[in-house]
Amino acid sequence: MSDDALLNSLKEGFRKERREQVEGLRRLAEVDRRGLWKKSARSLNEFCCKELGLSESSAWKRIQVCHLGVRLPYALELLEKNKITLTNLSILSPCLTAENAKQVLEEASGLGRFAVEAIKARFLPRPEPRDSFTPLSSRTPRASSSAPEPSPSPTKETSGEPAAAACSEPPEIPITRVRISFVADESLVQSMNKVKALLGHKFPNARLEDIEAEVYRFYLEAHDPERKKTKATTRIPMKSAKHTRYIPVEVKKEVWRRDEGRCAYRYENGDRCTSTYALEIDHILPFSQGGRSDKVEELRLACFLHNQMEAERIFGKHLMDKFRKTKPQKSVDSPSSLCSPG
Ligand SMILES: [Zn+2]
């Protein structure tokens, strides 16, 4: 099958799936109208879970949208045309009326869930809850999803402990998990997303907890008075720069500024990638082939995917697989720390 034929058949498959999904929602509304779910369940929701094998949240979304389709058939037409997702329709359904549907759905077209929730909040504002810290049950520390952190050092020696205990694995100290919630401006969310993208190497599956902890650690490293007292004052001498992987800070900044903090990789059709996820500074001519680290024009920003793709293109997948095995999951603090192995 040619590439074009493959892409076309994939798109057609999804169009068909979408048509069938909408048809299914219309039938579900009719099943509800006739009360047919009463034959085997106590509610339409239970019917969807038991008889159709849906999860509770899928059932809830479909029920919202099938009822919406009865009130506003136009909404299902948009779903069928792929102008809006089922999830976004289910979020907006309580605030849609015959008067506002067209305008609101047009505005929501192509937006992510967060932006759609914001539209809903305009119609159905909720009072802001206060900041809260709720202790949850204690449990043993979770395996870190990131670079190893200094293990908590609970090993305060107690004279009466049996010797065997000292030799075996240190006991895991339960930690209390706390649910933190607060309301913030949208600009904070934007900053969080930016930091999350920058930390993509270190925390590929970052949770908010990882991002927050990293930001606080960074701040405390610089400003914690206790730490300042004990911090060693020795500095590592900078390598004299001839042909070196070391990229001077000014050069990094300039590459970052020129590429506007986005991946500069270009696809075959000339479009630029522009991802902000896990950016790295990439040697356009590989370092091993003479690429310079001190010349802005020889460097560019590349997202992790495109840096790896370029490296595989130049060095081959086999060599890159070997390289990755010898440098497993190295965590990097700055986008520049991981350049192509060139
Ligand atoms: Zn990219």
Side-chain angles (χ1 to χ4, degrees), residues 245-261:
R245 285 182 179 280
Y246 173 76
I247 303 172
V249 178
E250 317 79 66
V251 176
K252 283 183 201 171
K253 279 188 186 163
E254 185 49 29
V255 174
W256 199 265
R257 191 197 60 73
R258 183 201 60 202
D259 291 346
E260 299 170 320

Side-chain angles (χ1 to χ4, degrees), residues 177-236:
R177 307 277 295 164
V178 181
R179 181 189 176 91
I180 303 170
S181 80
F182 63 100
V183 175
D185 280 346
E186 204 182 336
S187 61
L188 182 74
V189 180
Q190 285 163 3
S191 302
M192 278 176 175
N193 286 338
K194 212 166 177 181
V195 174
K196 188 174 175 181
L198 290 170
L199 286 170
H201 297 298
K202 193 167 184 175
F203 304 107
N205 302 309
R207 296 166 44 141
L208 260 185
E209 178 185 0
D210 300 318
I211 308 296
E212 292 286 304
E214 187 71 4
V215 170
Y216 291 130
R217 187 186 63 76
F218 196 69
Y219 180 85
L220 288 172
E221 260 178 19
H223 301 292
D224 182 1
E226 291 301 315
R227 193 184 164 90
K228 272 186 183 167
K229 269 189 232 163
T230 53
K231 203 173 173 185
T233 50
T234 46
R235 280 174 177 274
I236 302 161

Side-chain angles (χ1 to χ4, degrees), residues 93-315:
S93 63
C95 44
L96 292 175
T97 63
E99 290 72 40
N100 69 16
K102 196 156 193 241
Q103 191 194 344
V104 173
L105 291 176
E106 215 159 81
E107 183 184 349
S109 174
L111 296 181
R113 183 185 173 137
F114 181 81
V116 171
E117 291 277 8
I119 295 177
K120 180 185 175 184
R122 257 187 3 232
F123 289 92
L124 303 169
R126 283 185 294 181
E128 283 197 3
R130 287 191 295 180
D131 295 358
S132 73
F133 296 79
T134 314
L136 304 173
S137 57
S138 299
R139 65 169 176 76
T140 46
R142 75 183 167 109
S144 174
S145 61
S146 66
E149 279 173 25
S151 58
S153 45
T155 49
K156 231 179 183 177
E157 317 262 313
T158 42
S159 52
E161 281 198 352
C167 302
S168 63
E169 294 263 307
E172 289 204 324
I173 305 293
I175 48 172
T176 300
R177 307 277 295 164
V178 181
R179 181 189 176 91
I180 303 170
S181 80
F182 63 100
V183 175
D185 280 346
E186 204 182 336
S187 61
L188 182 74
V189 180
Q190 285 163 3
S191 302
M192 278 176 175
N193 286 338
K194 212 166 177 181
V195 174
K196 188 174 175 181
L198 290 170
L199 286 170
H201 297 298
K202 193 167 184 175
F203 304 107
N205 302 309
R207 296 166 44 141
L208 260 185
E209 178 185 0
D210 300 318
I211 308 296
E212 292 286 304
E214 187 71 4
V215 170
Y216 291 130
R217 187 186 63 76
F218 196 69
Y219 180 85
L220 288 172
E221 260 178 19
H223 301 292
D224 182 1
E226 291 301 315
R227 193 184 164 90
K228 272 186 183 167
K229 269 189 232 163
T230 53
K231 203 173 173 185
T233 50
T234 46
R235 280 174 177 274
I236 302 161
M238 215 184 273
K239 283 180 199 166
S240 66
K242 272 209 164 171
H243 189 230
T244 164
R245 285 182 179 280
Y246 173 76
I247 303 172
V249 178
E250 317 79 66
V251 176
K252 283 183 201 171
K253 279 188 186 163
E254 185 49 29
V255 174
W256 199 265
R257 191 197 60 73
R258 183 201 60 202
D259 291 346
E260 299 170 320
R262 289 172 178 278
C263 175
Y265 180 88
R266 288 201 182 270
Y267 297 100
E268 280 176 14
N269 66 2
D271 287 351
R272 192 178 151 183
C273 163
T274 74
S275 167
T276 56
Y277 179 73
L279 290 171
E280 305 165 336
I281 293 190
D282 176 41
H283 287 86
I284 296 169
L285 177 67
F287 177 78
S288 63
Q289 294 174 12
R292 304 278 310 187
S293 303
D294 54 352
K295 291 205 159 75
V296 174
E297 61 275 16
E298 297 207 11
L299 301 163
R300 67 177 167 187
L301 282 182
C303 66
F304 182 73
L305 173 76
H306 285 132
N307 199 3
Q308 296 291 308
M309 259 176 59
E310 275 296 277
E312 280 186 10
R313 186 181 64 78
I314 294 164
F315 300 103

Side-chain angles (χ1 to χ4, degrees), residues 6-147:
L6 175 64
L7 285 170
N8 286 336
S9 84
L10 178 71
K11 286 177 191 170
E12 183 46 40
F14 274 86
R15 270 195 291 273
K16 195 172 159 214
E17 191 180 304
R18 194 57 87 118
R19 281 196 298 274
E20 281 171 1
Q21 183 185 43
V22 170
E23 204 38 55
L25 290 167
R26 291 191 181 112
R27 282 188 206 122
L28 182 62
E30 182 59 17
V31 164
D32 190 29
R33 194 186 67 77
R34 298 188 196 182
L36 298 180
W37 51 265
K38 289 174 190 161
K39 293 182 181 195
S40 59
R42 282 170 301 169
S43 66
L44 182 58
N45 196 71
E46 191 183 282
F47 170 83
C48 288
C49 297
K50 250 170 62 179
E51 302 288 332
L52 307 180
L54 297 175
S55 68
E56 280 200 20
S57 67
S58 295
W60 183 85
K61 278 185 215 167
R62 279 162 180 78
I63 292 169
Q64 296 291 311
V65 175
C66 83
H67 289 157
L68 176 69
V70 174
R71 285 196 293 124
L72 301 165
Y74 171 69
L76 291 190
E77 285 167 25
L78 287 189
L79 181 64
E80 192 169 347
K81 286 180 192 156
N82 205 13
K83 300 276 184 207
I84 191 152
T85 64
L86 182 77
T87 300
N88 287 349
L89 266 186
S90 68
I91 293 169
L92 290 171
S93 63
C95 44
L96 292 175
T97 63
E99 290 72 40
N100 69 16
K102 196 156 193 241
Q103 191 194 344
V104 173
L105 291 176
E106 215 159 81
E107 183 184 349
S109 174
L111 296 181
R113 183 185 173 137
F114 181 81
V116 171
E117 291 277 8
I119 295 177
K120 180 185 175 184
R122 257 187 3 232
F123 289 92
L124 303 169
R126 283 185 294 181
E128 283 197 3
R130 287 191 295 180
D131 295 358
S132 73
F133 296 79
T134 314
L136 304 173
S137 57
S138 299
R139 65 169 176 76
T140 46
R142 75 183 167 109
S144 174
S145 61
S146 66

